């Protein structure tokens, strides 16, 4: 298949890091499109430019997204990748797989596609990289039959994503895997039928280490936390001390609020719980000895996104603490995001992400209209200007003649 | 005919001999007692400066009084500070005690040095300006009376610098003060269409509104204000007398705290709004004096030695300040202007 | 007919028995060696996760290979990480050593745990996207080859998280990475007027430009670009295929550093531009790999233990970072976009 | 004179802080306008509103500013303050006076005005508060004769201002008094004849304590500093130690860069000079033992202003270090500000302060066009977005077809 030479790409088969070129060549053994893709890429390496175009809308019946249309710019030269679309398959929570499921993915893709995938896309999907327009519906049909569904693309709820959480992490403050699964299922319509001003993303991290990068990468960032005090196992503290672990220097001195004290005599830790910001540092350093509090839940932060158009935004706190209970079906969270999306849908301009909208119209208006109480946790610091929008109805206007007449 | 462009009087003619002799050769200073600075020069010479509070709005009689004192104790030399206090420049140590006694006898306010509250930088208010939302001198008098103990002693955690501006133009430079007292309007301007037609260039007026709330109304040869967009800054009134913005029932005072301008330890910082509105309640503005006193007492009780008000709050966190102070938090306090974004808590770490 | 809205496969069906049994009951973890995590549950059960680097752009053959390994050593269970690595989930300690040996024999890359460099989050590049200013997989391969020693060991001051995005859309989320590699265009879009007339809604296109550089040109039924206002973001090209922006001679890579997303110790922070441009020099992008290596080595040599790249730079100051690194500073690195103001040094304190 | 009652204002004669009401009453003994001012003010206290209007342009021949026109809103009721203008007299550097000068100010004002003043205005002027239109020119003529000049108002260089500096402060790093005097004299035309988009202010502080508040209150902030290392008098350090002054806790622990070390054994201080940011803290705490370096000068920061219109701005560094030498007549500084003002004058919109203009068009453009080198000291941190304006002339455009044709 790959008779044509790829001298530049071949260079990238050397070195210790696993090679995507090798992977492309493996795919190309049985896939003509993968073979041509290598040629197109080699040419890009020579010319320092890409050769792909976006184009007409491609998709499956009943959905508005999930497929990214892509065409090579010289279809005559590269007929096998003239159409080379991407299909996004919604991944299982936490990227957990059994081999049967993975093999099913491979088997179907082998029938129709380039044999190339991304495991996974940057949002979280299984990315099936490169197929023809005519095959899109059959591909979907077969995957659907096998228990898979498409992920998001376009102005919709995008594929949600979560950290490994309680599946394998002692730090998880809520069930990220179940939250992601349950909430994704709740919002199937929002995921599959784009109808908003722009895309919206949710990421679930079990604690403030934020292993999904939610705060930077999702409009709605759900970050596990707790409301009471961190807990100590003082026997385990002593074990760390016995191993000459520098508790004072590496743990206490780096506590951002200096609320953690090490008594080196007694070899015991103590904390001023109300001053702890639950940053996770001490827990990270001494997982055997320090644990999160008992009253667990999550902070909800809103507005994260990358650079286009108004600059990158990080999410910021809107609900400092919310219970994320499987038992109550995450109702409080679902209600909240519904209110927020409705508001955004009503007020947002085309291609305006949630964070940009809040910035444009003001956090105060956002909170008021979404019925979220204002609390000091929402800001690093209060406003520096005195330009308050007063609710005119709350004022005593009896003496104010607004028509210009003297008072 | 007047001489043009001759510039200000030459400061050199104003300096007392001890300063001329030791100009740029000062070695260190001490504060022997509140209100008295002792500067010692390389030559060993010592200059005593006695700081006296001033209402700033003074009659020429006041100026003549202090001139008399300066003649008597300072060989005719004195200065004012950048905070409008008077400083008597005493080069003869013997005269220091006498001066202090005279000042005390005549009821002058001596203090404002070191870890104290000095005079409040302030503005015109109802005395002379056309856009005030509150008075200046009156509020300052009420607040300084209330806090006088901290002017004449040096028992605060650090210096406390206050500013007052009677409207959002902020002539009192309250925007970087430990405590800023700012007169605020809360209702949109009222348009006098007739006056507007006579006095105002409409495009300039329209352009002056920072939020784009003013639209031309060509039919009426006037303008319309979109009241939802107005945040009552009064900039339109500065541009046009036809846009009156004062409103006796709704004008009042906002309190912003935690700013500083010195670079010592921490970078200069803006003051932050903690109370969006207190009513104008002359002559003594009790709501304002009480609010300020509570904040100061909280600071005294909790700050480390040497910690400015804002440095203390930044250390404990603004959310903690609100819980300690019991001040109500509301969306009014959340920034929604141009640089709002950097104030949002883009982090999962905070105190409850 | 396909079933609609059935949602993703249920993760519960994917979990190995040890996880089902100890779900939410994990007690602590250790990293017995680079690339191996040991999680111990309250029950005493221990799960070993072996992390293997992945090129992410993989063939189904690769997936089948790892399935075979998972069948052999993990009872058919594995996962991927949020950074696209593979994790073999070994519940039987006896099989751990065997697995590691097999992986080593077959040339898999084991590592990426603890104080190491893990995989680089990245994007499509010349492989599949239509707006790239550089390739993704190729640059990642070149950089990871060069830094491989830091993947397979844990000798860095702290974790180092890298991201690559092939254009300013930043799908690789480089904006909060320790090191972000970003493909940048540097010349304005070229308008294909004919194509534009056929494909593009002009008002939408005009509205898409963040700097207002695009004006309608009604005469020509097309648009004009004010090149002085354009900062080459490519947003117009996303909106219209008639606004081609790639430019082989001038496209390349910018390096932004010092961001993070975790809340540990310090708040999440954006990455900051330290090198505005490096050329596209495939297949191995030597200018890029060298620049990154120098930054990492400087960090290793100077940071405190446990200090992320950005935490180190914030401690010493960015001006000091520039003097230590010898990287040229220029006005290119000074922000002039919407939130520029907060980056200006509004303080008299700095290092020379 | 003040027969009319002022019960509310009378309240403000009580209390320990000196009373402006008492001052107004003193003035009112001989000034009818001061008497009426009391009435107007009492009415404001009753009604909670001001009674002043701005109005037509008032001024003196040859100048465009220096006088603020002010009128009461009910001239019939208050004929003596129907016109009640303010005259701004430029103060001597550092607010130093001999009593002769002060008495001259009083004597002239007594002849024409309300007998009321502000010592001083917030910008720095001697404020003569309240006179009639017809008296403005004679007032100016007499003050001019006596060696005074007007300060600024309108869209001009405003009255400059400086700290006490070398006159009485051991911390001064350059001669603030002379700089202020010399530079004010240089820019007489800019001060007296408004011609710019808006006002511009300069304040001179001798060190980073910034006792004029320059960084917050002036478009051009000149803040003393040094380029070499702070200096110690170790004998004096020992004296502080002997007095049980907490050198470690109050000085070293608060050094922002932790570059200052106290050896409590030897009772000696040492510094890593290259890490010192010259914040002044240690010098403030131990003025007898720590001194600024020898190579003194100033940092020039640009853009400070208060809230109207775009928010308050602080000045930011443009020239990290500049010699401020009396001998060279401050030439370097004068050249710099001329370039900057010219650029502002050319590019600024009406009522756009320098800081707002720089923010609008970009710091890079400002630096380039004012020929100021870009250095890392100008920013806290570099840009977070990749939106660089590339100078197109520096690029290789040979392969770029800008007319839309294929490359
Ligand atoms: C495939 C993927 C990159 C990858 O290789 O993994 C991707 C690829 C594209 N992204 Fe993205 N984005 C991908 C994750 C992201 C992320 C990361 C994330 O979700 O965590 C971001 C940053 C976070 C965010 O949402 O802001 C991201 C921010 C963008 C943006 C800028 C959005 C913004 O508001 O700033 C665009 C531009 C747009 O929407 O027009 C964009 C647009 C695109 C388009 C659709 C460009 C286009 O107009 O054709 C790319 C299609 C490439 C292709 O050939 O398939 N992509 N994109 C990722 C999706 C895979 C998946 O479903 O799992
Ligand atoms: C007289 C005056 C300068 C003048 O030219 O008039 C002055 C004089 C001195 N200042 Fe100041 N400062 C003066 C206004 C300021 C201002 C501006 C202001 O008040 O609006 C500031 C900046 C305020 C801010 O940061 O918000 C100022 C911040 C300082 C500091 C830094 C304090 C800090 O830790 O942040 C010092 C150092 C110190 O006191 O330790 C200082 C130190 C000093 C010293 C000790 C300098 C010296 O060695 O002579 C002087 C006596 C201070 C004292 O009163 O305790 N001076 N000083 C001003 C007196 C105003 C007044 O009447 O109260
Ligand atoms: C497997 C994974 C989660 C998943 O669902 O896939 C994961 C797993 C763990 N993370 Fe993470 N993190 C994972 C991505 C992240 C990310 C997101 C990212 O990489 O883009 C972050 C935020 C990065 C940032 O701040 O820019 C992240 C920030 C942390 C931190 C905070 C580090 C810090 O000091 O800033 C910890 C705590 C620690 O390691 O001390 C942590 C700790 C951990 C622990 C120790 C949690 C535990 O007890 O199991 C896990 C092993 C860490 C290790 O590899 O050393 N994890 N972790 C992700 C592995 C990615 C990879 O293949 O390398
Ligand atoms: C007299 C004085 C207040 C005082 O009581 O001391 C004052 C009084 C006025 N200021 Fe001011 N400003 C005075 C210092 C300031 C300062 C402080 C400073 O210079 O350090 C500021 C803040 C710093 C700055 O420049 O930003 C200041 C910021 C303003 C502004 C807002 C400017 C801005 O860009 O934000 C305005 C509005 C305007 O220019 O239209 C303003 C406008 C005014 C006007 C002219 C309002 C008007 O349109 O009539 C006031 C005249 C009052 C009157 O009746 O005389 N005044 N003004 C100060 C001048 C006295 C002097 O010459 O010494
Ligand atoms: S975010 Fe927290 S709970 Fe989730 S994997 Fe990371 S450390 Fe564990
Ligand atoms: S979680 Fe963070 S803030 Fe809380 S005690 Fe530990 S290190 Fe300190
Ligand atoms: S702050 Fe406002 S009301 Fe007060 S003097 Fe300045 S411009 Fe006038
Ligand atoms: S008060 Fe300010 S915001 Fe309101 S209309 Fe006037 S200029 Fe605009
Ligand atoms: S970063 Fe840009 S070029 Fe790369 S995949 Fe995303 S949209 Fe495409
Ligand atoms: S590249 Fe960006 S800035 Fe330039 S014209 Fe297109 S949208 Fe506007
Ligand atoms: S700014 Fe510095 S030099 Fe000037 S008076 Fe204040 S402490 Fe002294
Ligand atoms: S001047 Fe400031 S930074 Fe320098 S040594 Fe002293 S305290 Fe530290």
């Amino acid at each position: 298949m790959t008779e044509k030479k790829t001298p530049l790409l071949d260079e990238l088969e050397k070195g210790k890091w696993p090679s995507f070129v090798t992977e492309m060549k493996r795919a190309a053994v049985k896939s003509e499109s993968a073979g041509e893709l290598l040629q197109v890429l080699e040419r890009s390496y020579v010319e320092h430019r890409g050769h792909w175009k976006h184009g007409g809308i491609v998709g499956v019946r009943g959905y508005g997204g999930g497929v990214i249309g892509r065409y090579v710019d010289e279809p005559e030269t590269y007929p096998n990748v003239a159409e080379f679309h991407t299909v996004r398959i919604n991944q299982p929570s936490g990227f957990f797989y059994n081999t049967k499921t993975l093999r099913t993915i491979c088997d179907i893709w082998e029938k129709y596609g380039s044999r190339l995938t991304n495991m996974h896309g940057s949002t979280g999907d299984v990315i099936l990289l490169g197929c023809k327009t005519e095959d899109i519906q059959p591909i979907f049909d077969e995957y659907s039959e096998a228990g898979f569904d498409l992920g998001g693309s376009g102005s919709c709820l995008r594929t949600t994503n979560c950290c490994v959480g309680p599946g394998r992490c002692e730090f998880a403050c809520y069930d990220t895997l179940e939250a992601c699964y349950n909430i994704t299922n709740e919002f199937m319509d929002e995921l599959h039928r784009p109808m908003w001003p722009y895309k919206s993303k949710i990421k679930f991290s079990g604690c403030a280490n934020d292993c999904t990068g939610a705060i930077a990468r999702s409009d709605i960032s759900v970050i596990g936390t707790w409301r009471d005090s961190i807990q100590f196992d003082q026997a385990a503290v002593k074990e760390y001390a016995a191993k000459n672990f520098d508790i004072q220097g590496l743990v206490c001195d780096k506590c951002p609020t200096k609320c953690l004290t090490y008594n080196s005599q007694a070899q015991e830790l103590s904390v001023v719980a109300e001053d702890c910001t639950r940053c996770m540092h001490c827990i990270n350093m001494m997982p055997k000895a320090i644990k999160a509090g008992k009253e667990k839940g999550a902070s909800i932060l809103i507005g994260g996104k990358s650079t286009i158009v108004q600059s990158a935004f990080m999410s910021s706190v809107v609900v400092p603490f919310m219970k994320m209970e499987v038992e109550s079906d995450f109702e409080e969270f679902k209600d909240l995001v519904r209110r927020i999306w409705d508001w955004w849908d009503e007020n947002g301009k085309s291609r305006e992400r949630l964070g940009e909208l809040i910035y444009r119209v003001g956090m105060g208006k956002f909170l008021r209209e979404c019925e979220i109480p204002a609390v000091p946790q929402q800001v690093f610091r209060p406003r520096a200007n005195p330009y308050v929008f007063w609710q005119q109805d709350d004022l005593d206007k009896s003496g104010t003649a607004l028509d210009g007449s003297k008072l | 005919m007047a001489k043009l462009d001759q510039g200000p009087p030459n400061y050199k003619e104003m300096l007392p001999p001890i300063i001329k002799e030791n100009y740029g050769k000062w070695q260190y200073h001490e504060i022997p007692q509140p209100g008295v600075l002792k500067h010692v020069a390389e030559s060993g010479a010592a200059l005593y400066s006695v700081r006296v509070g001033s209402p700033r709005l003074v009659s020429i009689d006041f100026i003549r009084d202090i001139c008399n004192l300066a003649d008597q104790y300072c060989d005719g030399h004195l200065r004012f500070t950048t905070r409008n206090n008077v400083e008597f420049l005493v080069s003869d140590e013997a005269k220091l005690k006498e001066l202090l006694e005279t000042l005390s006898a005549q009821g002058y306010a001596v203090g404002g040095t070191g870890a104290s509250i000095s005079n409040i930088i302030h503005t015109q208010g109802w005395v002379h300006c056309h856009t005030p939302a509150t008075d200046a001198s009156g509020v300052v008098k009420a607040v300084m009376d209330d806090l006088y103990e901290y002017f004449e002693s040096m028992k605060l955690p650090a210096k406390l610098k206050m500013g007052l501006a009677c409207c959002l133009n902020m002539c009192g430079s309250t925007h970087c003060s430990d405590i800023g007292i700012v007169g605020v309007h809360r209702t949109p301007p009222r348009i006098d269409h007739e006056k507007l037609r006579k006095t105002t260039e409409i495009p300039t007026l329209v352009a002056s509104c920072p939020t784009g709330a003013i639209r031309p109304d060509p039919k009426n040869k006037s303008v319309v204000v979109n009241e939802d967009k107005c945040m009552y800054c009064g900039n339109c009134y500065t541009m046009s007398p036809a846009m009156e913005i004062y409103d006796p029932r709704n004008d009042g005072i906002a309190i912003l705290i935690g700013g500083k301008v010195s670079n010592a330890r921490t970078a200069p910082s803006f003051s932050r709004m903690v109370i969006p509105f207190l009513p104008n309640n002359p002559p003594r503005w009790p709501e304002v004096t009480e609010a300020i006193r509570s904040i100061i007492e909280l600071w005294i009780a909790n700050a480390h030695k040497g910690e400015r008000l804002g440095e203390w709050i930044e250390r404990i966190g603004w959310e903690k300040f609100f819980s300690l102070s019991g001040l109500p938090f509301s969306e009014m306090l959340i920034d929604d202007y141009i640089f709002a974004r950097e104030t949002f808590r883009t982090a999962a770490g905070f105190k409850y």
Side-chain angles (χ1 to χ4, degrees), chain A, chain B:
Chain A
M1 292 285 142
T2 50
E3 309 104 293
K4 298 245 184 71
K5 295 237 164 62
T6 54
L8 290 175
L9 289 176
D10 293 351
E11 278 300 311
L12 291 175
E13 290 201 88
K14 302 173 188 162
K16 288 195 167 178
W17 188 250
S19 169
F20 71 99
V21 174
T22 305
E23 290 303 319
M24 290 173 77
K25 290 190 178 173
R26 289 176 82 182
V29 173
K30 293 195 195 159
S31 157
E32 303 203 5
S33 62
E36 263 181 23
L37 178 62
L38 270 167
Q39 293 307 318
V40 174
L41 189 60
E42 177 76 11
R43 191 163 149 198
S44 287
Y45 272 51
V46 173
E47 295 175 358
H48 298 196
R49 54 161 289 199
H51 282 281
W52 300 99
K53 305 188 303 174
H54 51 186
I57 288 154
V58 290
V60 304
R61 280 188 299 274
Y63 284 5
V67 185
I68 307 293
R70 197 99 328 174
Y71 306 83
V72 82
D73 63 354
E74 290 183 21
E76 323 75 38
T77 324
Y78 308 104
N80 286 298
V81 293
E83 295 164 352
F84 201 63
H85 314 310
T86 276
V87 178
R88 294 180 174 172
I89 301 284
N90 198 158
Q91 85 289 3
S93 279
F95 310 106
F96 276 102
Y97 291 96
N98 55 43
T99 49
K100 183 167 159 287
T101 304
L102 274 180
R103 288 202 177 95
T104 307
I105 293 176
C106 296
D107 295 345
I108 303 176
W109 189 232
E110 181 165 34
K111 271 167 72 178
Y112 298 101
S114 68
R115 301 176 73 93
L116 283 168
T117 73
N118 289 141
M119 293 300 276
H120 293 78
S122 191
T123 308
D125 291 293
V126 175
I127 301 288
L128 303 174
L129 202 69
C131 66
K132 294 201 162 51
T133 311
E134 64 192 36
D135 290 334
I136 295 174
Q137 188 66 42
I139 288 172
F140 174 56
D141 290 345
E142 280 205 41
Y143 275 105
S144 179
E145 195 58 38
F148 297 92
D149 202 344
L150 293 194
S153 75
S155 293
C156 66
L157 170 61
R158 292 300 181 88
T159 300
T160 55
N161 186 357
C162 66
C163 75
V164 65
R168 198 202 52 200
C169 181
E170 70 271 31
F171 300 154
C173 293
Y174 69 98
D175 190 339
T176 53
L177 300 172
E178 179 61 22
C180 185
Y181 181 66
N182 178 312
I183 289 160
T184 304
N185 276 300
E186 175 86 13
F187 295 116
M188 278 290 124
D189 204 34
E190 287 79 357
L191 179 73
H192 289 133
R193 288 160 207 101
M195 55 179 184
W196 284 330
Y198 204 5
K199 63 185 81 165
S200 187
K201 296 180 179 176
I202 314 182
K203 290 198 196 322
F204 299 90
S205 282
C207 77
N209 283 330
D210 197 0
C211 295
T212 65
I215 201 168
R217 300 170 65 173
S218 54
D219 302 85
I220 298 171
S221 315
V222 187
I223 299 181
T225 194
W226 59 95
R227 196 149 54 179
D228 48 351
S229 171
I230 53 172
Q231 309 174 65
F232 303 108
D233 176 342
Q234 302 289 6
V237 174
K238 292 184 178 62
E239 279 173 40
Y240 280 99
K243 287 188 191 140
N244 285 321
F245 178 72
D246 179 8
I247 298 177
Q248 184 61 46
L250 292 177
V251 187
C252 297
D253 288 353
K254 298 195 172 199
C255 167
T257 59
K258 305 281 173 276
C259 65
L260 186 71
T261 307
Y262 180 52
N263 179 333
S264 59
Q265 231 60 36
Q267 300 193 331
E268 283 186 359
L269 282 168
S270 62
V271 69
V272 181
E274 60 179 41
D275 284 343
C276 167
T277 54
R278 303 167 311 286
C279 81
M280 289 299 299
H281 173 69
C282 59
I283 302 181
N284 290 338
M285 290 291 103
M286 303 174 70
K288 288 187 189 170
I290 316 182
K291 286 204 173 342
K294 288 176 192 152
E295 209 188 334
K296 296 190 172 76
S299 300
I300 316 297
L301 296 86
I302 302 283
K305 57 171 289 288
S306 70
T307 311
I308 297 285
V309 187
Q310 299 224 5
S311 298
F313 280 56
M314 277 192 253
S315 287
S316 71
V317 175
V318 303
V319 179
F321 185 84
M322 184 184 276
K323 288 263 177 202
M324 288 293 288
E325 279 168 351
V326 181
E327 301 75 47
S328 66
D329 202 31
F330 307 101
E331 261 326 301
E332 197 182 343
F333 177 80
K334 290 173 184 169
D335 280 359
L336 177 77
V337 297
R338 268 203 197 90
R339 289 205 305 279
I340 292 177
W341 283 329
D342 283 351
W343 177 82
W344 170 52
D345 199 24
E346 217 161 276
N347 295 280
K349 296 197 277 195
S350 162
R351 281 171 69 78
E352 187 174 45
R353 297 281 287 263
L354 189 48
E356 288 164 326
L357 172 61
I358 293 174
Y359 168 65
R360 175 165 65 84
V361 305
M363 178 69 80
K365 191 175 160 78
F366 161 73
L367 294 174
R368 213 158 45 237
E369 299 187 352
C370 292
E371 291 167 48
I372 300 165
V375 291
Q377 286 74 17
Q378 287 154 349
V379 294
F380 282 128
R381 35 191 81 85
R383 67 191 313 144
N385 61 68
Y387 295 154
V388 174
F389 286 99
W390 286 94
Q391 298 303 297
Q392 296 296 308
D393 296 344
D394 302 347
L395 303 181
D396 171 4
K397 299 291 271 292
S398 61
T400 316
L402 287 171
D403 58 353
S405 60
K406 282 263 168 229
L407 288 182
Chain B
M1 250 303 283
K3 274 177 259 167
L4 295 188
D5 297 333
Q6 65 179 330
N10 191 337
Y11 67 96
K12 286 182 189 151
E13 290 161 23
M14 310 293 162
L15 303 177
I18 185 173
I19 288 190
K20 283 198 181 134
E21 284 152 23
N22 298 286
Y23 196 80
K25 303 259 158 68
W26 299 101
Q27 210 171 19
Y28 68 88
H29 75 278
E30 282 169 350
I31 309 185
Q33 71 184 76
V36 181
L37 302 167
K38 176 184 179 185
H39 283 84
V40 180
E42 286 168 14
S43 67
L47 170 67
Y48 294 87
S49 305
V50 178
R51 190 172 294 170
V52 165
S54 155
R56 192 182 83 119
L57 171 50
V58 295
S59 64
I60 54 174
D61 311 283
F62 175 91
I63 302 177
R64 284 171 177 156
D65 287 350
I66 58 174
C67 283
N68 291 341
L69 292 169
D71 282 342
Q72 213 174 333
Y73 302 102
C74 314
D75 305 314
H77 291 281
L78 78 171
R79 72 179 288 270
F80 294 83
T81 70
T82 59
R83 242 169 214 277
N84 309 311
N85 289 312
V86 180
E87 282 182 347
F88 292 102
L89 304 171
V90 187
S91 48
D92 178 355
E93 194 180 348
K95 292 196 179 153
L96 176 65
K97 222 181 127 223
E98 280 176 57
L99 171 62
L100 288 169
E101 279 164 10
T102 310
L103 290 170
S104 160
Q106 301 187 0
Y108 283 91
V110 174
T113 56
S116 73
I117 295 177
S118 184
N119 207 343
I120 301 180
I121 292 184
H122 61 278
T123 47
Q124 297 298 330
W126 292 332
V127 168
H128 200 258
C129 201
H130 64 121
T131 62
T134 188
D135 190 33
S137 313
V139 184
V140 165
K141 167 76 174 141
V143 172
M144 286 306 287
D145 275 347
D146 188 55
L147 298 173
Y148 191 77
E149 61 180 306
Y150 299 116
F151 172 77
E152 59 169 8
S153 63
M154 306 197 295
K155 58 188 182 185
L156 294 173
K159 282 177 166 27
L160 186 95
K161 305 277 190 177
M162 294 204 266
L164 178 144
C166 24
C167 85
L168 303 192
N169 283 341
M170 286 213 184
C171 301
S173 276
T174 49
H175 55 291
C176 294
S177 303
D178 291 290
I179 298 185
I181 308 169
V182 186
V184 290
H185 303 289
R186 295 193 296 163
T187 48
R190 300 176 301 277
I191 310 170
D192 181 334
H193 296 288
E194 210 162 312
K195 197 190 271 182
L196 196 141
R197 281 188 282 270
K198 269 187 257 163
T199 56
T200 311
E201 233 187 71
I202 292 185
T204 323
L205 175 61
V206 168
S208 76
C209 177
T211 62
I214 306 178
R215 263 201 334 270
D217 179 2
K219 244 199 210 153
N220 206 5
K221 283 192 183 141
S222 182
V223 300
V224 231
V225 170
N226 176 344
E227 303 199 347
D228 284 346
K229 280 190 165 180
C230 175
M231 44 60 168
Y232 334 109
C233 67
N235 203 40
C236 53
Y237 180 57
T238 298
M239 301 307 290
S240 164
M243 304 289 287
E244 254 173 16
I245 191 155
Y246 77 87
D247 175 350
R249 309 217 178 180
N250 294 302
D251 290 349
I253 281 175
I255 306 288
L256 286 79
I257 71 172
K260 74 192 272 272
V261 301
S262 89
N263 291 272
R265 301 170 305 281
T266 49
S269 60
F270 289 120
S271 315
R272 305 275 161 187
M273 187 183 281
V274 294
I275 304 179
F277 185 76
L278 293 170
N280 271 329
N281 200 351
R284 288 234 158 244
W285 281 268
E287 296 84 355
V288 175
T289 56
E290 264 163 47
I292 291 176
R293 178 170 273 274
S294 310
I295 291 168
I296 291 174
E297 284 174 356
L298 197 65
W299 170 56
I300 295 174
N302 289 280
H304 292 170
K305 189 170 174 191
E307 218 169 28
R308 298 272 298 260
L309 179 56
E311 290 173 327
W312 165 61
I313 299 178
E314 284 287 327
R315 173 168 61 79
I316 65 167
W318 287 86
E319 72 278 29
K320 179 99 177 185
F321 168 79
F322 279 95
S323 75
L324 284 178
S325 67
L327 286 172
F329 189 86
S330 71
E331 67 216 33
M332 306 290 157
L333 303 179
I334 302 181
D335 196 357
D336 46 17
Y337 202 49
I338 307 179
F339 305 106
R341 202 188 65 156
E342 320 300 317
T343 67
F344 297 166
R345 189 178 303 269
T346 51
F350 52 80
K351 301 177 184 177
Y352 288 115

